[in-house]
Amino acid sequence: MTPTLPAPDLTLWGEAVMAKAASLGRRDGLAGQPRDFTLEDIGGEVGIVETMRQDRIGGTLPLPQSRLLLAAVKQCYVAGYHHGGDVRREKQRRFPASPA
C-alpha cells in the first residue's frame, strides 16, 4: 500500500512566496527595474508568474487562495521595491558619481 503524503502547509508556502517577492522587490528597487506579476493556469491550478521573464514563483495553489496570495505577493514586492529604491537613492546622495 502506498503511503499518503501529507497536504502541504499553504500558510508556510504563502509566507515563503511573499518573502521571495519582497527580496525580489528590494533587488529590483536597487537596480531601478520594476516587475509585474500575474496568475497562470498550470495543470488546473494557479501559479504566480513574473510577467516579462515568465519566471514562476513557488508552486501552485487552488484558485480561491491564489487571488488573495497574488495581492499579497504584489504588496510585498512593492514594499521591497520601495525599500530598495530608497537605499539606491540614499547611496547616490551620499556617494555621488565622481567625474571620470
Coordinates of all heavy atoms in Angstrom, one line a residue:
M1 N 0.8 -1.2 0.0 CA 0.0 0.0 0.0 C 0.9 1.3 0.0 O 1.8 1.4 0.8 CB -0.9 0.0 1.2 CG -1.8 1.1 1.3 SD -3.1 0.7 2.6 CE -3.8 2.3 2.8
T2 N 0.6 2.2 -0.9 CA 1.4 3.4 -1.0 C 1.0 4.4 0.1 O -0.2 4.6 0.4 CB 1.1 4.1 -2.3 OG1 1.3 3.1 -3.4 CG2 2.0 5.3 -2.6
P3 N 2.0 4.9 0.8 CA 1.7 5.9 1.9 C 1.2 7.2 1.3 O 1.5 7.6 0.2 CB 3.0 6.1 2.6 CG 4.1 5.7 1.6 CD 3.4 4.7 0.7
T4 N 0.2 7.8 2.0 CA -0.3 9.1 1.6 C 0.6 10.2 2.1 O 0.9 10.3 3.3 CB -1.7 9.2 2.2 OG1 -2.5 8.1 1.8 CG2 -2.4 10.5 1.7
L5 N 0.9 11.1 1.2 CA 1.8 12.2 1.6 C 0.9 13.3 2.3 O -0.3 13.5 1.9 CB 2.4 12.8 0.4 CG 3.4 12.0 -0.4 CD1 3.9 12.6 -1.6 CD2 4.6 11.6 0.5
P6 N 1.4 14.0 3.3 CA 0.6 15.0 4.0 C 0.4 16.2 3.0 O 1.2 16.4 2.1 CB 1.5 15.4 5.1 CG 2.9 15.0 4.8 CD 2.8 13.8 3.9
A7 N -0.7 16.8 3.2 CA -1.0 18.0 2.4 C 0.0 19.1 2.7 O 0.4 19.3 3.9 CB -2.4 18.5 2.7
P8 N 0.4 19.9 1.7 CA 1.3 21.0 2.0 C 0.7 22.0 2.9 O -0.5 22.3 2.9 CB 1.7 21.6 0.6 CG 0.5 21.2 -0.2 CD 0.0 19.9 0.3
D9 N 1.5 22.6 3.8 CA 1.1 23.7 4.6 C 1.0 25.0 3.8 O 2.1 25.6 3.5 CB 2.0 23.9 5.8 CG 1.5 24.9 6.8 OD1 0.6 25.7 6.5 OD2 2.0 24.9 8.0
L10 N -0.2 25.4 3.4 CA -0.3 26.6 2.5 C 0.1 27.8 3.2 O 0.6 28.8 2.5 CB -1.8 26.7 2.0 CG -2.2 25.5 1.1 CD1 -3.7 25.7 0.7 CD2 -1.4 25.3 0.0
T11 N 0.0 27.9 4.5 CA 0.5 29.1 5.2 C 2.0 29.3 5.0 O 2.4 30.4 4.7 CB 0.1 29.0 6.7 OG1 -1.3 28.8 6.8 CG2 0.5 30.3 7.4
L12 N 2.7 28.2 5.3 CA 4.2 28.3 5.1 C 4.6 28.6 3.7 O 5.5 29.4 3.4 CB 4.8 27.0 5.6 CG 4.7 26.7 7.1 CD1 5.4 25.4 7.4 CD2 5.4 27.8 7.9
W13 N 3.9 27.9 2.7 CA 4.2 28.2 1.3 C 3.9 29.6 1.0 O 4.7 30.3 0.3 CB 3.3 27.2 0.5 CG 3.6 27.3 -1.0 CD1 4.5 26.5 -1.6 CD2 3.0 28.1 -1.9 NE1 4.5 26.8 -3.0 CE2 3.6 27.8 -3.2 CE3 2.1 29.1 -1.9 CZ2 3.3 28.5 -4.4 CZ3 1.7 29.8 -3.1 CH2 2.3 29.5 -4.3
G14 N 2.8 30.2 1.4 CA 2.5 31.6 1.1 C 3.5 32.5 1.7 O 3.9 33.5 1.1
E15 N 3.9 32.3 3.0 CA 4.9 33.1 3.6 C 6.2 33.1 2.8 O 6.9 34.1 2.7 CB 5.1 32.7 5.0 CG 4.0 33.0 5.9 CD 4.1 32.5 7.3 OE1 5.2 31.9 7.7 OE2 3.2 32.6 8.1
A16 N 6.6 31.9 2.3 CA 7.9 31.8 1.6 C 7.8 32.6 0.3 O 8.7 33.3 -0.1 CB 8.2 30.3 1.3
V17 N 6.6 32.5 -0.4 CA 6.4 33.2 -1.7 C 6.5 34.7 -1.4 O 7.1 35.5 -2.2 CB 5.1 32.8 -2.4 CG1 4.8 33.7 -3.5 CG2 5.3 31.3 -2.8
M18 N 5.8 35.2 -0.3 CA 5.8 36.6 -0.1 C 7.2 37.1 0.3 O 7.6 38.2 -0.1 CB 4.8 36.9 1.0 CG 3.3 36.8 0.5 SD 2.1 37.2 1.7 CE 2.1 35.8 2.8
A19 N 8.0 36.3 1.1 CA 9.3 36.7 1.4 C 10.2 36.8 0.1 O 11.0 37.7 0.0 CB 9.9 35.7 2.4
K20 N 10.0 35.9 -0.8 CA 10.8 35.9 -2.0 C 10.4 37.1 -2.8 O 11.2 37.8 -3.4 CB 10.5 34.6 -2.8 CG 11.4 34.6 -4.1 CD 11.3 33.2 -4.8 CE 12.2 33.2 -6.0 NZ 12.1 31.9 -6.6
A21 N 9.1 37.5 -2.9 CA 8.6 38.6 -3.6 C 9.2 39.9 -3.0 O 9.7 40.8 -3.8 CB 7.1 38.7 -3.6
A22 N 9.3 40.0 -1.7 CA 9.9 41.2 -1.1 C 11.4 41.3 -1.4 O 11.9 42.4 -1.7 CB 9.7 41.1 0.5
S23 N 12.1 40.2 -1.4 CA 13.5 40.2 -1.7 C 13.7 40.6 -3.2 O 14.7 41.3 -3.5 CB 14.2 38.9 -1.3 OG 13.8 37.9 -2.1
L24 N 12.9 40.0 -4.1 CA 13.0 40.4 -5.5 C 12.7 41.9 -5.6 O 13.4 42.6 -6.4 CB 12.0 39.7 -6.3 CG 12.3 38.2 -6.7 CD1 11.1 37.5 -7.4 CD2 13.6 38.1 -7.5
G25 N 11.7 42.4 -4.9 CA 11.4 43.9 -4.9 C 12.6 44.7 -4.5 O 12.9 45.7 -5.1
R26 N 13.3 44.3 -3.4 CA 14.4 45.1 -2.9 C 15.5 45.1 -4.0 O 16.1 46.1 -4.3 CB 15.0 44.5 -1.6 CG 14.2 44.9 -0.4 CD 14.9 44.5 0.9 NE 15.0 43.1 1.1 CZ 14.1 42.3 1.5 NH1 12.9 42.7 1.9 NH2 14.3 41.0 1.6
R27 N 15.8 43.9 -4.5 CA 16.8 43.8 -5.6 C 16.5 44.7 -6.8 O 17.3 45.4 -7.3 CB 17.0 42.3 -6.0 CG 18.1 42.2 -7.0 CD 18.2 40.8 -7.6 NE 17.0 40.6 -8.5 CZ 16.7 39.5 -9.0 NH1 17.3 38.4 -8.7 NH2 15.6 39.4 -9.8
D28 N 15.2 44.6 -7.2 CA 14.8 45.4 -8.4 C 14.8 46.9 -8.0 O 15.1 47.7 -8.9 CB 13.5 45.0 -8.9 CG 13.5 43.6 -9.5 OD1 14.6 43.0 -9.7 OD2 12.4 43.0 -9.7
G29 N 14.5 47.2 -6.8 CA 14.5 48.6 -6.4 C 15.9 49.2 -6.4 O 16.1 50.3 -6.8
L30 N 16.9 48.4 -6.0 CA 18.3 48.8 -6.0 C 18.7 49.0 -7.4 O 19.5 49.9 -7.7 CB 19.2 47.8 -5.3 CG 19.1 47.8 -3.8 CD1 19.8 46.5 -3.2 CD2 19.8 49.0 -3.2
A31 N 18.2 48.2 -8.4 CA 18.6 48.3 -9.8 C 17.7 49.3 -10.5 O 18.1 49.7 -11.6 CB 18.5 46.9 -10.4
G32 N 16.6 49.7 -9.9 CA 15.7 50.6 -10.6 C 14.9 50.0 -11.7 O 14.5 50.7 -12.7
Q33 N 14.6 48.7 -11.6 CA 13.9 48.0 -12.7 C 12.7 47.3 -12.1 O 12.8 46.2 -11.4 CB 14.8 46.9 -13.3 CG 16.0 47.5 -14.0 CD 16.9 46.5 -14.6 OE1 17.0 45.4 -14.0 NE2 17.5 46.8 -15.7
P34 N 11.5 47.8 -12.2 CA 10.3 47.2 -11.7 C 9.8 46.0 -12.5 O 10.2 45.8 -13.6 CB 9.2 48.3 -11.7 CG 9.7 49.1 -12.9 CD 11.2 49.1 -12.9
R35 N 9.0 45.1 -11.8 CA 8.5 43.9 -12.5 C 7.0 43.9 -12.2 O 6.5 44.7 -11.4 CB 9.0 42.6 -11.8 CG 10.4 42.4 -12.0 CD 10.7 41.1 -11.3 NE 12.2 41.0 -11.1 CZ 12.8 39.8 -11.3 NH1 12.1 38.7 -11.5 NH2 14.1 39.8 -11.1
D36 N 6.3 43.0 -12.9 CA 4.9 42.8 -12.6 C 4.6 41.3 -12.5 O 5.3 40.5 -13.1 CB 4.0 43.4 -13.8 CG 2.5 43.3 -13.4 OD1 2.2 43.5 -12.2 OD2 1.7 43.1 -14.3
F37 N 3.6 40.9 -11.8 CA 3.3 39.5 -11.6 C 1.9 39.3 -12.0 O 1.0 40.1 -11.9 CB 3.5 39.1 -10.1 CG 4.9 39.3 -9.6 CD1 5.3 40.5 -9.0 CD2 5.8 38.3 -9.8 CE1 6.6 40.6 -8.6 CE2 7.1 38.5 -9.4 CZ 7.5 39.6 -8.7
T38 N 1.6 38.1 -12.4 CA 0.3 37.7 -12.8 C 0.0 36.2 -12.4 O 0.9 35.6 -11.9 CB 0.1 37.9 -14.4 OG1 -1.3 37.7 -14.7 CG2 0.9 36.9 -15.1
L39 N -1.2 35.8 -12.7 CA -1.6 34.4 -12.4 C -1.5 33.6 -13.7 O -1.9 34.1 -14.7 CB -3.0 34.3 -11.8 CG -3.1 35.0 -10.4 CD1 -4.6 34.9 -10.0 CD2 -2.2 34.4 -9.4
E40 N -1.2 32.3 -13.6 CA -1.1 31.5 -14.8 C -1.7 30.1 -14.4 O -1.5 29.6 -13.3 CB 0.3 31.3 -15.2 CG 0.5 30.4 -16.5 CD 1.9 30.4 -16.9 OE1 2.4 31.3 -17.6 OE2 2.6 29.4 -16.5
D41 N -2.6 29.6 -15.3 CA -3.2 28.3 -15.1 C -2.1 27.2 -15.4 O -1.5 27.2 -16.5 CB -4.3 28.1 -16.0 CG -5.1 26.8 -15.8 OD1 -4.6 26.0 -14.9 OD2 -6.0 26.5 -16.5
I42 N -1.8 26.4 -14.4 CA -0.8 25.4 -14.5 C -1.4 24.0 -14.1 O -1.6 23.8 -12.9 CB 0.4 25.7 -13.6 CG1 1.0 27.0 -14.0 CG2 1.5 24.6 -13.7 CD1 2.0 27.6 -13.0
G43 N -1.9 23.3 -15.1 CA -2.5 22.0 -14.8 C -3.7 22.0 -14.0 O -3.8 21.2 -13.1
G44 N -4.6 23.0 -14.1 CA -5.8 23.0 -13.3 C -5.6 23.8 -12.0 O -6.6 24.0 -11.4
E45 N -4.4 24.2 -11.7 CA -4.2 25.0 -10.5 C -3.6 26.3 -11.0 O -3.3 26.5 -12.2 CB -3.3 24.3 -9.5 CG -4.0 23.1 -8.9 CD -3.2 22.6 -7.7 OE1 -2.0 22.6 -7.7 OE2 -3.9 22.2 -6.7
V46 N -3.3 27.2 -10.1 CA -2.8 28.6 -10.5 C -1.5 28.8 -9.8 O -1.3 28.5 -8.6 CB -3.8 29.6 -10.0 CG1 -3.3 31.0 -10.4 CG2 -5.2 29.4 -10.7
G47 N -0.6 29.4 -10.6 CA 0.7 29.8 -10.1 C 1.0 31.3 -10.3 O 0.3 31.9 -11.1
I48 N 1.9 31.8 -9.5 CA 2.3 33.2 -9.7 C 3.5 33.3 -10.6 O 4.5 32.6 -10.4 CB 2.6 33.8 -8.3 CG1 1.3 33.8 -7.4 CG2 3.0 35.3 -8.5 CD1 1.6 34.1 -6.0
V49 N 3.4 34.1 -11.6 CA 4.4 34.2 -12.7 C 4.8 35.7 -12.9 O 4.0 36.5 -13.0 CB 3.9 33.6 -14.0 CG1 4.9 33.7 -15.1 CG2 3.4 32.2 -13.8
E50 N 6.1 35.9 -12.9 CA 6.7 37.2 -13.3 C 6.4 37.4 -14.7 O 6.7 36.6 -15.6 CB 8.1 37.3 -12.9 CG 8.7 38.7 -12.9 CD 9.2 39.1 -14.3 OE1 9.7 38.3 -15.0 OE2 8.9 40.3 -14.6
T51 N 5.7 38.6 -15.1 CA 5.2 38.8 -16.4 C 6.2 38.8 -17.5 O 6.1 38.0 -18.5 CB 4.4 40.1 -16.4 OG1 3.5 40.1 -15.4 CG2 3.6 40.2 -17.7
M52 N 7.3 39.6 -17.4 CA 8.2 39.8 -18.5 C 9.1 38.5 -18.7 O 9.2 38.0 -19.8 CB 9.1 40.9 -18.2 CG 8.5 42.3 -18.4 SD 8.3 42.8 -20.1 CE 10.0 43.0 -20.6
R53 N 9.6 38.0 -17.6 CA 10.6 36.8 -17.8 C 9.9 35.5 -17.7 O 10.5 34.5 -17.9 CB 11.6 36.9 -16.6 CG 12.4 38.2 -16.7 CD 13.5 38.2 -15.6 NE 14.1 39.5 -15.7 CZ 14.4 40.2 -14.6 NH1 14.1 39.8 -13.4 NH2 15.0 41.4 -14.8
Q54 N 8.6 35.5 -17.4 CA 7.8 34.2 -17.3 C 8.4 33.3 -16.3 O 8.4 32.1 -16.4 CB 7.7 33.5 -18.6 CG 6.8 34.3 -19.6 CD 5.4 34.4 -19.1 OE1 4.7 33.4 -18.8 NE2 4.9 35.6 -18.9
D55 N 9.1 33.8 -15.2 CA 9.6 33.0 -14.1 C 8.5 32.8 -13.1 O 7.8 33.7 -12.7 CB 10.7 33.8 -13.4 CG 12.0 33.9 -14.2 OD1 12.2 33.1 -15.2 OD2 12.8 34.8 -14.0
R56 N 8.3 31.5 -12.7 CA 7.3 31.2 -11.7 C 7.9 31.3 -10.3 O 9.0 31.0 -10.1 CB 6.8 29.8 -12.0 CG 5.6 29.4 -11.2 CD 4.9 28.2 -11.8 NE 5.8 27.1 -11.8 CZ 5.4 25.8 -12.0 NH1 4.2 25.6 -12.2 NH2 6.3 24.9 -12.0
I57 N 7.1 31.8 -9.4 CA 7.5 32.0 -8.0 C 6.7 30.9 -7.2 O 5.5 31.0 -7.2 CB 7.1 33.4 -7.5 CG1 8.0 34.4 -8.2 CG2 7.4 33.4 -6.0 CD1 7.7 35.8 -7.7
G58 N 7.4 30.0 -6.6 CA 6.7 29.0 -5.8 C 6.0 27.9 -6.6 O 6.2 27.8 -7.8
G59 N 5.1 27.2 -6.0 CA 4.4 26.1 -6.6 C 3.0 26.7 -7.1 O 2.9 27.8 -7.4
T60 N 2.0 25.8 -7.0 CA 0.7 26.2 -7.5 C -0.3 26.1 -6.3 O 0.0 25.4 -5.3 CB 0.2 25.3 -8.6 OG1 0.2 23.9 -8.2 CG2 1.1 25.5 -9.8
L61 N -1.4 26.7 -6.4 CA -2.5 26.7 -5.4 C -3.8 26.6 -6.1 O -4.0 27.0 -7.2 CB -2.5 28.0 -4.6 CG -1.4 28.2 -3.5 CD1 -1.6 29.5 -2.9 CD2 -1.5 27.1 -2.5
P62 N -4.8 26.1 -5.4 CA -6.2 26.1 -5.9 C -6.6 27.6 -6.1 O -6.1 28.5 -5.4 CB -7.0 25.4 -4.8 CG -6.0 24.7 -4.0 CD -4.7 25.4 -4.1
L63 N -7.4 27.8 -7.1 CA -7.8 29.2 -7.5 C -8.3 30.1 -6.3 O -7.8 31.2 -6.3 CB -8.9 29.1 -8.6 CG -9.2 30.4 -9.2 CD1 -8.0 31.1 -9.9 CD2 -10.3 30.2 -10.2
P64 N -9.2 29.7 -5.4 CA -9.6 30.7 -4.4 C -8.5 31.3 -3.6 O -8.5 32.5 -3.3 CB -10.6 29.9 -3.5 CG -11.0 28.7 -4.4 CD -9.8 28.4 -5.3
Q65 N -7.5 30.5 -3.2 CA -6.4 31.1 -2.4 C -5.5 31.9 -3.3 O -4.8 32.8 -2.8 CB -5.7 30.0 -1.7 CG -6.5 29.4 -0.6 CD -6.5 27.9 -0.7 OE1 -6.2 27.3 -1.7 NE2 -7.0 27.3 0.4
S66 N -5.4 31.6 -4.5 CA -4.4 32.3 -5.4 C -4.6 33.8 -5.6 O -3.7 34.5 -5.6 CB -4.3 31.6 -6.7 OG -3.9 30.3 -6.6
R67 N -5.9 34.2 -5.7 CA -6.2 35.6 -5.9 C -5.7 36.4 -4.7 O -5.1 37.5 -4.9 CB -7.6 35.8 -6.2 CG -8.1 35.1 -7.5 CD -8.6 36.0 -8.5 NE -9.0 35.3 -9.7 CZ -8.3 35.2 -10.8 NH1 -7.1 35.8 -10.9 NH2 -8.7 34.5 -11.8
L68 N -6.0 35.9 -3.6 CA -5.6 36.6 -2.3 C -4.1 36.6 -2.2 O -3.4 37.6 -1.9 CB -6.2 36.0 -1.1 CG -5.9 36.6 0.2 CD1 -6.3 38.1 0.3 CD2 -6.6 35.9 1.3
L69 N -3.4 35.5 -2.5 CA -2.0 35.4 -2.5 C -1.3 36.3 -3.5 O -0.3 36.9 -3.2 CB -1.5 33.9 -2.7 CG 0.0 33.7 -2.6 CD1 0.5 34.1 -1.2 CD2 0.3 32.2 -2.9
L70 N -1.9 36.4 -4.7 CA -1.3 37.3 -5.7 C -1.3 38.7 -5.2 O -0.3 39.5 -5.3 CB -2.1 37.2 -7.0 CG -1.6 38.2 -8.1 CD1 -0.1 37.9 -8.5 CD2 -2.5 38.1 -9.3
A71 N -2.4 39.2 -4.5 CA -2.5 40.5 -4.0 C -1.4 40.7 -2.9 O -0.7 41.7 -2.8 CB -3.9 40.8 -3.4
A72 N -1.2 39.7 -2.1 CA -0.2 39.8 -1.0 C 1.2 39.8 -1.6 O 2.1 40.6 -1.1 CB -0.4 38.6 0.0
V73 N 1.4 39.0 -2.6 CA 2.7 39.0 -3.3 C 3.0 40.3 -3.9 O 4.1 40.9 -3.7 CB 2.8 37.9 -4.4 CG1 4.0 38.0 -5.3 CG2 2.9 36.5 -3.7
K74 N 2.1 40.9 -4.6 CA 2.3 42.2 -5.2 C 2.6 43.3 -4.1 O 3.5 44.1 -4.3 CB 1.1 42.7 -6.0 CG 1.0 41.9 -7.3 CD 0.0 42.5 -8.2 CE 0.0 41.8 -9.6 NZ -0.7 42.5 -10.6
Q75 N 1.9 43.2 -3.0 CA 2.1 44.2 -1.9 C 3.5 44.0 -1.3 O 4.2 45.0 -1.1 CB 1.1 44.0 -0.8 CG -0.2 44.6 -1.1 CD -0.2 46.1 -1.2 OE1 0.1 46.6 -2.3 NE2 -0.5 46.8 -0.1
C76 N 4.0 42.8 -1.1 CA 5.3 42.5 -0.6 C 6.4 43.0 -1.6 O 7.4 43.6 -1.2 CB 5.5 41.0 -0.3 SG 4.5 40.5 1.1
Y77 N 6.1 42.7 -2.9 CA 7.1 43.1 -3.9 C 7.2 44.7 -3.9 O 8.3 45.2 -3.9 CB 6.7 42.6 -5.3 CG 7.6 43.1 -6.3 CD1 8.8 42.4 -6.6 CD2 7.3 44.2 -7.1 CE1 9.6 42.9 -7.6 CE2 8.2 44.7 -8.0 CZ 9.3 44.0 -8.3 OH 10.2 44.5 -9.2
V78 N 6.1 45.3 -3.9 CA 6.1 46.8 -3.9 C 6.8 47.4 -2.7 O 7.6 48.3 -2.8 CB 4.6 47.4 -4.1 CG1 4.6 48.8 -3.8 CG2 4.1 47.0 -5.4
A79 N 6.5 46.8 -1.5 CA 7.2 47.3 -0.3 C 8.7 47.1 -0.4 O 9.5 48.0 -0.1 CB 6.7 46.5 0.9
G80 N 9.1 45.9 -0.9 CA 10.6 45.7 -1.1 C 11.1 46.6 -2.2 O 12.2 47.1 -2.0
Y81 N 10.4 46.8 -3.2 CA 10.8 47.7 -4.3 C 11.1 49.1 -3.8 O 12.1 49.8 -4.1 CB 9.8 47.7 -5.5 CG 10.3 48.5 -6.7 CD1 11.2 47.9 -7.6 CD2 9.9 49.8 -6.9 CE1 11.7 48.7 -8.6 CE2 10.3 50.5 -8.0 CZ 11.2 50.0 -8.8 OH 11.7 50.7 -9.9
H82 N 10.1 49.6 -3.0 CA 10.3 51.0 -2.5 C 11.5 51.0 -1.5 O 12.2 52.0 -1.6 CB 9.0 51.4 -1.8 CG 7.9 51.8 -2.7 ND1 8.0 52.8 -3.6 CD2 6.7 51.2 -3.0 CE1 6.9 52.9 -4.3 NE2 6.1 51.9 -4.0
H83 N 11.7 50.0 -0.7 CA 12.8 50.0 0.2 C 14.1 50.0 -0.6 O 15.0 50.7 -0.3 CB 12.7 48.8 1.1 CG 13.9 48.7 2.0 ND1 14.9 47.8 1.8 CD2 14.2 49.4 3.1 CE1 15.9 47.9 2.7 NE2 15.4 48.9 3.6
G84 N 14.2 49.1 -1.6 CA 15.4 49.1 -2.4 C 15.7 50.4 -3.1 O 16.8 50.9 -3.2
G85 N 14.6 51.0 -3.6 CA 14.7 52.3 -4.3 C 15.2 53.4 -3.3 O 16.1 54.3 -3.7
D86 N 14.7 53.4 -2.1 CA 15.2 54.3 -1.1 C 16.7 54.1 -0.8 O 17.4 55.1 -0.7 CB 14.4 54.1 0.2 CG 12.9 54.6 0.1 OD1 12.6 55.3 -0.9 OD2 12.1 54.3 1.0
V87 N 17.1 52.9 -0.7 CA 18.5 52.6 -0.4 C 19.4 53.1 -1.6 O 20.4 53.7 -1.4 CB 18.7 51.1 -0.2 CG1 20.2 50.7 -0.2 CG2 18.1 50.6 1.1
R88 N 18.9 52.8 -2.8 CA 19.6 53.3 -4.0 C 19.8 54.8 -4.0 O 20.9 55.3 -4.3 CB 18.9 52.8 -5.3 CG 19.6 53.3 -6.6 CD 18.9 52.7 -7.8 NE 17.5 52.6 -7.8 CZ 16.6 53.5 -8.0 NH1 17.0 54.7 -8.4 NH2 15.3 53.3 -7.9
R89 N 18.7 55.5 -3.8 CA 18.7 57.0 -3.8 C 19.6 57.5 -2.7 O 20.3 58.5 -2.9 CB 17.3 57.5 -3.7 CG 16.6 57.4 -5.0 CD 15.2 58.1 -5.0 NE 14.3 57.4 -4.0 CZ 13.6 56.3 -4.3 NH1 13.7 55.8 -5.5 NH2 12.8 55.8 -3.5
E90 N 19.6 56.9 -1.5 CA 20.4 57.3 -0.4 C 21.9 57.1 -0.7 O 22.7 58.0 -0.4 CB 20.1 56.6 0.9 CG 20.8 57.0 2.1 CD 20.6 58.4 2.5 OE1 19.6 59.1 2.1 OE2 21.5 59.0 3.3
K91 N 22.2 56.0 -1.4 CA 23.6 55.8 -1.8 C 24.1 56.8 -2.8 O 25.2 57.3 -2.7 CB 23.8 54.4 -2.4 CG 23.8 53.3 -1.4 CD 24.0 51.9 -2.1 CE 24.1 50.8 -1.1 NZ 24.3 49.5 -1.7
Q92 N 23.2 57.1 -3.7 CA 23.5 58.2 -4.7 C 23.7 59.5 -4.1 O 24.6 60.3 -4.5 CB 22.4 58.2 -5.8 CG 22.4 57.0 -6.7 CD 21.2 57.0 -7.6 OE1 20.2 57.7 -7.4 NE2 21.2 56.1 -8.6
R93 N 22.9 59.8 -3.1 CA 23.0 61.1 -2.4 C 24.3 61.2 -1.6 O 25.0 62.2 -1.6 CB 21.8 61.3 -1.4 CG 21.8 62.7 -0.7 CD 20.7 62.7 0.3 NE 21.0 62.0 1.5 CZ 21.9 62.3 2.4 NH1 22.6 63.4 2.4 NH2 22.0 61.5 3.5
R94 N 24.7 60.1 -0.9 CA 25.9 60.1 -0.1 C 27.2 60.0 -0.9 O 28.2 60.5 -0.5 CB 25.8 58.9 0.9 CG 24.9 59.1 2.0 CD 25.0 58.0 3.0 NE 24.0 58.2 4.0 CZ 24.0 57.5 5.2 NH1 24.9 56.6 5.4 NH2 23.0 57.7 6.1
F95 N 27.1 59.2 -2.0 CA 28.3 59.0 -2.8 C 28.0 59.3 -4.3 O 27.9 58.4 -5.1 CB 28.7 57.5 -2.7 CG 28.8 57.0 -1.3 CD1 27.9 56.2 -0.8 CD2 29.9 57.4 -0.5 CE1 27.9 55.7 0.6 CE2 30.0 56.9 0.8 CZ 29.0 56.1 1.4
P96 N 27.9 60.6 -4.5 CA 27.6 61.0 -5.9 C 28.8 60.5 -6.8 O 29.9 60.4 -6.4 CB 27.5 62.5 -5.9 CG 28.2 62.9 -4.6 CD 28.1 61.8 -3.7
A97 N 28.4 60.2 -8.1 CA 29.4 59.7 -9.0 C 30.4 60.8 -9.3 O 30.1 62.0 -9.5 CB 28.7 59.3 -10.3
S98 N 31.7 60.4 -9.2 CA 32.7 61.4 -9.4 C 33.0 61.5 -10.9 O 32.9 60.4 -11.6 CB 34.0 61.0 -8.7 OG 34.4 59.7 -9.0
P99 N 33.4 62.6 -11.4 CA 33.7 62.7 -12.9 C 34.9 61.9 -13.2 O 35.9 61.7 -12.5 CB 34.0 64.2 -13.1 CG 34.1 64.8 -11.7 CD 33.6 63.9 -10.7
A100 N 34.9 61.3 -14.4 CA 35.9 60.4 -14.9 C 37.2 61.2 -15.3 O 37.2 62.2 -15.7 CB 35.4 59.5 -16.0

